[in-house]
Amino acid sequence: MSDRSRTCDEGHAGNGENAVLPGSPGPPRCRIGNPSCCCVTEYRTWDDDCPLCQALREEHVQDEYTQILNSEMSVMIEAVYGLSSLVEQKLKEKQKTRQDIWKREGTFGIFVTKGEDGRRRIVVRDGWTSYHIDDAQSGGVLVRRVQPRVLTRSHTTTTGTPEAVEGPPTSTGVGGNASGAAGRVTAPPPVDTLEACERAARRLREVASHLQHGDVPLAVLQKTLTYAACVLETVCQEETRKLLDEDDELSEVRPDAVPTEVREWLESTFTRQSASLPKRRSEDKPRFRSVANAIRAGIMVDRLYRRVSPSAAVHLQVPPPILDLLKTTDEWCFNVFKLNELSTDQALRYLSFDLLNRYGLVHKFKMSSLFLENFLTQIEAGYKKYGNPYHNNMHAADVTQTVHFMLCRAGVANWLTDLEIFATLFAAIIHDYEHTGTTNNFHVMSRSETALIYNDRSVLENHHISSAFRVMQRDDCNVLANLSREEYREFRSLVIEMVLATDMTSHFQQVKTMKTALGHHDFSLDKPKSLCLILHACDISHPAKEWSLHTRWTGYLMEEFFKQGDKEKQLGLPYSPLCDRNTTMVAESQIGFIDFILSPTMDVCSELIMKIYQQVLHQQQQQRASSASTTGTPSEDSSRSSSVSSVGSQDVPKEPARPWMKYLEVNRLRWQERAAQDAEAKRLAEEQASVTNNGSAEEAAPASTE
Ligand code: AMP
Ligand code: MG
Ligand code: ZN
């Protein structure tokens, strides 16, 4: 729009000669609204009194930046001149040159130089760009951004302004070396250091500020972002690890800060981690060889077992109908009620015996079949002690079978060692042992003996574990007799952790923590925490099974709750939620349980299982590659590391089975229908009651008036 060949209506030449800063004395300003006035188009020296300037200012808001910069610079310029001469003077005294300063201060600097035309010029430069601020005549300021450039070395001229040299990004990967000495190409600090956080943050800010001018070279931008991302990820991982490892409050204590002995004492005394327990590392790799052995043993024992061989059946004679039913234990909707009927109320014993054999654990850990049978008999009896409608041997068998599904069909077993598989199944078997049919809260409120023993903390869960381990004190029930000391410690620690995590008060924390962990890129899974979540999910999984199974469980659970309500009433205690048999809305409670508890849990479980599956596949591929490179053929062990469910088939499943979501949806809909029916029935009953009341009132009324 501006015509540089002529002057504007105000007589400005269009070359900046007449450009002025607002408020400065000088030639007349543009006041008449000529859009091609050089004051407006060339130097953006807005006149606050000029209506066109105002209009243009609104239209080109971004140009305000230049205006602000100019006015700021005009203030700064004198200060810089003053500073510069002061520096010059000091340099002379110390017999140093500007290059010395440049080298020491890094790539950022402000210099005052003289241009070819003899005018003073301020050069502001950093890792990417030089800004040349020319001292225009009449007190005005010209800011020019010289082409983006990246400084790599101290390519400084010996006289005048040190020249920025364009070049590739430094090996720091993030452009200039803003804090280090110019000329030194420093590597960025390792991503897991505090320094890296600071560096990444600073670089990001620098890039952000440069982006405002659009002058950050793409390569620099990319490298800065990549580095910052690495740092962030590392920080996230570290934070998550700390979050998950809540017990390890001593993780902040640097290993070298205290002697090992003191550290171990601190750990054993003030955290839940035992000093003598071999530290479980979340990055422990699955040991395929051992799992493969388990599978092989499982296959072998399974075959023998199915032929009712002496090794498996000598102590537990399994009637053929039970054997047939046990062939369906790999199914998500296995009918545990049927098993209990066929086995005359011994579902837990038959199922557990079968599974421990199929996984080859009886063989692997040299369990005496007789001891195992004794142990299981004791445990099953403990589940029947209080005659609970829900928390009985069937529930234990149901949870154990569901855990087995997770291990075999969802592929989790491929990720575990034999000992971990054993601990997981064992935890499921004993997880509600000697359940009283009342809740933890009831124990606390009624000041039960058990609450006294466990100080109101996870009262039932503590009892389940403690009393189950006590059963094994009897020599003829000790199925752990042949575990090594280390194996016993690890096994016990895992079982304790898993069963304690079935306390519902830890539900939200567990789900949230796992969700957060899974959301993090490249997070290595924590095995104990993963197994805790899986057992917890199995424990509450019946609303994700076939409707016929789920409603039966719900009926039993509600009956147990109501029985507790009856006791509460007797004791003069307030009803616990869902325990008043006269008011509890069963359908609504199930919808709530599905929506807020089970669905989120199973969602996270699905994610976890996929992550485990990917990790196992990756591990397997690596193993294959390494064994192929050493032997020329893929290893037999690794190619076998398939789902334990295979018991006979050795293919790696394409995808882990996750059938629960469809049942959850169907069951939810059915509860909704029920809720609507219940509401309608209630409405009709109330209507009926009011009709009856009115009728009797009408009958009574004449009598009363008579
Ligand atoms: P556990 O007592 O170890 O079996 O832990 C599971 C707990 O989850 C039960 O005691 C119930 O309090 C609760 N729960 C499980 N299934 C349901 C359900 N369908 N509706 C309501 N609460 C349930
Ligand atoms: Mg429990
Ligand atoms: Zn349970």
Side-chain angles (χ1 to χ4, degrees), residues 557-670:
L557 182 63
M558 289 301 150
E559 185 47 34
E560 194 169 299
F561 283 164
F562 297 157
K563 278 177 111 176
Q564 177 175 314
D566 297 344
K567 283 185 193 151
E568 285 168 334
K569 196 176 170 192
Q570 264 178 15
L571 293 169
L573 295 170
Y575 282 116
S576 294
L578 299 189
C579 288
D580 183 350
R581 61 174 74 242
N582 299 310
T583 58
T584 295
M585 296 159 94
V586 176
E588 273 86 350
S589 74
Q590 288 310 294
I591 294 169
F593 187 77
I594 290 173
D595 285 350
F596 297 107
I597 306 291
L598 194 55
S599 286
T601 309
M602 296 318 280
D603 268 342
V604 176
C605 236
S606 297
E607 257 187 80
L608 172 65
I609 280 161
M610 277 316 288
K611 196 109 177 177
I612 290 173
Y613 175 71
Q614 284 156 4
Q615 205 162 311
V616 167
L617 268 191
H618 179 70
Q619 190 73 21
Q620 202 176 27
Q621 280 158 1
Q622 278 185 336
Q623 259 189 0
R624 278 204 183 123
S626 78
S627 92
S629 69
T630 50
T631 64
T633 50
S635 104
E636 199 201 322
D637 272 358
S638 59
S639 63
R640 236 183 237 277
S641 66
S642 57
S643 138
V644 179
S645 73
S646 55
V647 193
S649 110
Q650 290 154 21
D651 296 329
V652 176
K654 279 215 175 69
E655 279 247 314
R658 286 163 297 161
W660 37 84
M661 283 307 173
K662 65 171 188 252
Y663 290 107
L664 268 176
E665 272 168 40
V666 170
N667 291 345
R668 192 188 183 285
L669 283 175
R670 293 192 75 156

Side-chain angles (χ1 to χ4, degrees), residues 61-66 68-69 128-129 131 145 204-217 221:
V61 181
Q62 70 272 30
D63 285 345
E64 274 194 3
Y65 175 77
T66 315
I68 290 164
L69 191 65
W128 290 290
T129 314
Y131 297 93
R145 195 172 60 231
L204 282 177
R205 282 192 198 290
E206 284 166 7
V207 166
S209 99
H210 281 273
L211 277 174
Q212 215 170 352
H213 317 284
D215 60 3
V216 180
L221 180 62

Side-chain angles (χ1 to χ4, degrees), residues 215-233:
D215 60 3
V216 180
L218 190 61
V220 171
L221 180 62
Q222 274 176 343
K223 292 202 168 183
T224 301
L225 291 177
T226 308
Y227 179 67
C230 279
V231 173
L232 265 181
E233 275 165 15

Side-chain angles (χ1 to χ4, degrees), residues 390-391 395-396 399 431-432 435 502 539-540:
Y390 179 86
H391 285 104
H395 170 64
V399 175
H431 88 280
D432 274 333
H435 199 292
T502 60
D539 195 16
I540 57 174

Side-chain angles (χ1 to χ4, degrees), residues 16 18 36 54 217 223 230 234 238 245 247 330 351 375 413 418 423 436 529 551 568 586 594 615 619 621 634 642 704:
N18 299 311
S36 54
Q54 295 288 3
K223 292 202 168 183
C230 279
T234 310
E238 186 58 14
D245 206 3
D247 297 340
D330 296 358
L351 181 92
F375 171 75
D418 295 336
T436 51
K529 293 272 187 286
T551 40
E568 285 168 334
V586 176
I594 290 173
Q615 205 162 311
Q619 190 73 21
Q621 280 158 1
S642 57
S704 65

Side-chain angles (χ1 to χ4, degrees), residues 124-136:
V124 180
R125 57 188 296 175
D126 59 16
W128 290 290
T129 314
S130 287
Y131 297 93
H132 291 191
I133 304 162
D134 285 356
D135 182 16

